[in-house]
Amino acid sequence: MQSPPVDAIARHLSTAIDKSQELARPEIERRQLQLLEKLCSHARAHVPFYRDTRRLDPLFRANGQFSLEGLADVPVLTRAVAADNEAALVAERIPPEMLPLSEDCTSGSTGTPLRIKRTLMQAVFSQVLFERAVKWNNAGPVRRLAITNMIKASERAQLATPEALADGVPLDLPTHLDPAEQVALIGRFKPSHIIAFPNLAEAWLKTGRLDQLASLTTMFATGEVLRPAIREQLERELKVRVINFYSATETGPIAAAGPDGRLRISEETLLLEQPSGPVNPSRPVQVIATPFYAYAMPLIRYATGDYVRFSSRRPRESIGLRRLEAVLGRERSLFRRRDGTRIWPAVHGEVIGDIVPLRGWQLVQETLDDVVMKIVTSAPPDDLQLAKCRSALDDMVPGFNIRVEAVTHIDDDRASGKRFESCLSLVD
């Protein structure tokens, strides 16, 4: 069978989204409704999980007409439920234009890893949306791209030589490698652009081998919350532009930053649900997304575990795309108080860095009352510095018993697949 003309498909989609991003909201919503109807009809007929549970029935009236009015009555699909029904979520029949399929796997940082089957259209759209983000930010040309990638031990093939890596093929940078090994690979393959976890890139700074990273001009930060202090440090020490690229393994790119720094939602490829009524930009909203082209493994009303804040500002360019003010983080980053309320830890590392020479930090809620901040410093802090750190944390995370521990490194194995979690709650 002849391979699909992927480059031709990508060029067509690129032209299409250049136009669609400028459409009025009613037209964007009309197109989304059409895409959602096709996906849900496919899932009801060919995906055992949806066919057998009938959980999509609220979207279809008695006469078979599709209606978005029933969307709120469709149960939200959590990762735990998806993992428990992984085989049943795979379609028995897939439209030919969606083939061939590729496979991926979540990190397992929130529980059991979920194996994802991705269609050709999802893969090509991911490429096109990345290229659009490059264009928005005038960050080209992309001479070679590297992507940090979680590779299972059983699938770790020998890395190619720079000469053997074909033009246009991204370099997979395995996250299981030591930061010094990752830096050496970057120095060897010399990518101009990289898609990477911010805290992983922060670990590269500590290797002292910044000359190996000299080829990098642009970093697209993904997989973790991009803290302002980390962004400023990476841009200053690596001499790169850092652009926020919000994506999830299960959904693909969700939003990418434009020149104003606000994240523009990938309206062409997924439905990101937003509370009805006027936008409250200070309100945390749970991410519930439906990727339109996930015909191999439909994830309808899927909760990634993230929280975001929507923007209320009127866009001046790419007017058809809604904006996000910020990605707040995973649910596991919410700290719980004894009265049942939950808060986002408003911790700013630069405040602690003004007290002690800070090389790394992690804040962990151990119990309903107890929080520990682990700090990596170049010199052991004295009692006065520790007291100042605790006082600063009392202001940022009030209502907890806080202790500060000086450690040699941060390597938290409670969040599998991540080297660092900035804020992590161990309270169920």
Side-chain angles (χ1 to χ4, degrees):
M1 179 184 296
Q2 187 176 8
S3 300
V6 174
D7 289 343
I9 296 172
R11 286 194 298 271
H12 172 75
L13 294 179
S14 181
T15 300
I17 67 171
D18 279 347
K19 297 176 180 177
S20 63
Q21 67 188 9
E22 302 297 344
L23 295 173
R25 283 302 306 167
E27 177 61 16
I28 291 278
E29 291 167 358
R30 185 189 70 80
R31 294 184 179 204
Q32 290 182 324
L33 184 64
Q34 289 181 334
L35 291 168
L36 186 62
E37 179 179 2
K38 289 179 65 176
L39 177 70
C40 291
S41 297
H42 166 80
R44 284 181 96 203
H46 303 296
V47 180
F49 176 74
Y50 295 106
R51 184 182 60 214
D52 299 344
T53 62
R54 303 180 66 88
R55 65 194 280 143
L56 299 183
D57 283 2
L59 290 168
F60 294 85
R61 294 173 177 163
N63 63 359
Q65 182 181 6
F66 183 81
S67 173
L68 205 56
E69 292 177 1
L71 185 64
D73 295 321
V74 176
V76 171
L77 178 64
T78 65
R79 184 184 290 192
V81 172
D84 288 342
N85 296 274
E86 191 175 79
L89 278 165
V90 177
E92 297 171 336
R93 177 184 172 277
I94 300 169
E97 64 270 19
M98 297 289 165
L99 299 173
L101 305 181
S102 57
E103 294 190 0
D104 204 346
C105 185
T106 64
S107 67
S109 57
T110 57
T112 304
L114 179 64
R115 290 171 294 184
I116 305 296
K117 291 189 181 296
R118 186 175 289 117
T119 65
L120 171 68
M121 288 295 288
Q122 286 179 283
V124 176
F125 254 122
S126 291
Q127 172 188 329
V128 169
L129 290 171
F130 168 74
E131 291 171 353
R132 179 165 73 175
V134 171
K135 187 185 303 182
W136 279 341
N137 292 278
N138 194 25
V142 181
R143 293 185 296 276
R144 172 167 281 171
L145 175 66
I147 305 174
T148 54
N149 196 5
M150 295 173 185
I151 301 174
K152 291 191 237 178
S154 60
E155 299 174 353
R156 291 172 189 167
Q158 186 170 354
L159 292 166
T161 63
E163 295 76 20
L165 195 66
D167 289 342
V169 176
L171 165 68
D172 279 333
L173 192 67
T175 57
H176 70 274
L177 295 178
D178 181 82
E181 295 180 85
Q182 294 170 343
V183 168
L185 275 174
I186 294 171
R188 184 180 175 198
F189 282 76
K190 294 181 171 47
S192 59
H193 293 58
I194 191 164
I195 302 175
F197 304 144
N199 286 327
L200 197 60
E202 185 185 18
W204 300 339
L205 302 179
K206 299 177 176 64
T207 66
R209 302 177 181 177
L210 301 190
D211 59 310
Q212 299 272 354
L213 305 173
S215 66
L216 294 176
T217 63
T218 310
M219 173 182 163
F220 285 83
T222 192
E224 297 164 348
V225 174
L226 178 60
R227 303 197 313 269
I230 293 287
R231 177 180 192 152
E232 191 275 333
Q233 182 184 21
L234 293 174
E235 290 190 330
R236 183 182 68 251
E237 298 192 31
L238 291 184
K239 306 293 191 297
V240 298
R241 289 184 64 190
V242 179
I243 298 168
N244 210 351
F245 193 66
Y246 176 38
S247 183
T249 303
E250 305 95 303
T251 63
I254 297 174
D260 63 354
R262 286 184 178 79
L263 288 156
R264 304 173 180 185
I265 297 172
S266 304
E267 308 276 13
E268 297 91 347
T269 60
L270 55 76
L271 176 66
L272 184 62
E273 298 184 28
Q274 179 180 336
S276 59
V279 173
N280 180 354
S282 65
R283 176 184 176 183
V285 176
Q286 183 183 27
V287 172
I288 300 175
T290 302
F292 295 133
Y293 296 96
Y295 279 75
M297 192 176 184
L299 299 175
I300 299 169
R301 301 206 74 209
Y302 182 74
T304 64
D306 292 339
Y307 283 79
V308 298
R309 290 191 289 111
F310 281 85
S311 175
S312 60
R313 302 200 182 196
R314 185 185 298 273
R316 295 182 179 179
E317 41 186 29
S318 301
I319 60 173
L321 310 181
R322 292 171 295 161
R323 303 306 205 256
L324 298 177
E325 283 291 335
V327 179
L328 299 174
R330 287 275 161 125
E331 186 173 12
R332 64 173 177 251
S333 298
L334 278 166
F335 282 19
R336 181 181 296 179
R337 299 186 187 278
R338 187 164 286 279
D339 64 4
T341 59
R342 307 185 78 179
I343 66 165
W344 295 102
V347 176
H348 303 285
E350 60 268 29
V351 175
I352 306 299
D354 288 338
I355 302 169
V356 294
L358 195 63
R359 296 171 55 195
W361 63 271
Q362 181 185 57
L363 191 71
V364 180
Q365 183 181 13
E366 298 179 321
T367 71
L368 286 172
D369 301 309
D370 300 303
V371 170
V372 58
M373 186 175 201
K374 296 184 284 186
I375 58 174
V376 181
T377 68
S378 56
D382 58 32
D383 290 343
L384 180 59
Q385 289 173 316
L386 289 174
K388 287 183 177 180
C389 288
R390 285 193 298 270
S391 177
L393 288 166
D394 280 336
D395 291 335
M396 292 185 281
V397 193
F400 295 97
N401 301 323
I402 296 175
R403 72 180 191 275
V404 179
E405 293 181 358
V407 297
T408 58
H409 67 284
I410 294 172
D411 189 5
D412 186 50
D413 59 5
R414 290 165 294 192
S416 175
K418 305 279 188 180
R419 275 194 170 82
F420 303 103
E421 285 288 329
S422 299
C423 298
L424 177 68
S425 176
L426 304 181
V427 179
D428 294 330

